[in-house]
Amino acid sequence: MDVKFNELLLPITPEHLRASHCKPWRDATNEERLDGENGLLLTPGIDHLFDQGFIGFDDNGQTIVSPVAHHESLMRMGLDPQRPPSVGLFSSGQRKYLEFHRENVLLRSRFLEGG
């Protein structure tokens, strides 16, 4: 598996990154849990935001900020919610798992979505 580093990961050494599952462990089959396409290497703060559904990624690598995320906290963590970064393209396997994340983990606001 190719490992890509980008601006969202910050210039730190790999031993300080966390492997984050796009489709959470609790929702994944044993095969999906071990599938390298289901993982992203993220900094601990970004991993927390991703796991908790405060951020996600579209298929083109654009960071999606949840409408319920606390913008000041995101800024303190190095993520500008007004200009969320693009992290580059994902593989087709990663896109499948990221779609699950967007539909089932990324926090939405019923009020903002009109429902």
Side-chain angles (χ1 to χ4, degrees):
M1 177 173 87
D2 259 347
V3 176
K4 295 186 292 184
F5 293 93
N6 54 57
E7 298 91 49
L8 189 59
L9 299 180
L10 306 175
I12 64 173
T13 56
E15 62 266 15
H16 297 297
L17 298 175
R18 291 191 179 165
S20 188
H21 287 87
C22 302
K23 184 172 186 179
W25 188 267
R26 68 182 173 274
D27 299 319
T29 66
N30 286 336
E31 184 178 322
E32 291 170 328
R33 290 174 181 165
L34 300 175
D35 186 354
E37 298 289 319
N38 188 21
L40 301 175
L41 286 176
L42 304 173
T43 60
I46 297 301
D47 172 59
H48 166 77
L49 294 172
F50 184 72
D51 281 352
Q52 298 301 311
F54 293 114
I55 65 166
F57 303 99
D58 72 14
D59 286 346
N60 296 317
Q62 184 62 44
T63 302
I64 303 166
V65 176
S66 166
V68 301
H70 186 253
H71 284 208
E72 187 176 324
S73 294
L74 295 178
M75 291 292 290
R76 289 181 183 158
M77 296 175 88
L79 180 68
D80 182 349
Q82 301 303 317
R83 287 179 274 147
S86 178
V87 298
L89 297 176
F90 292 107
S91 70
S92 60
Q94 288 173 312
R95 289 192 300 269
K96 175 184 77 165
Y97 290 115
L98 287 167
E99 179 180 9
F100 181 91
H101 185 275
R102 286 190 302 272
E103 293 176 359
N104 298 283
V105 180
L106 185 64
L107 298 173
R108 308 280 183 187
S109 168
R110 288 188 210 140
F111 174 76
L112 293 173
E113 293 178 353

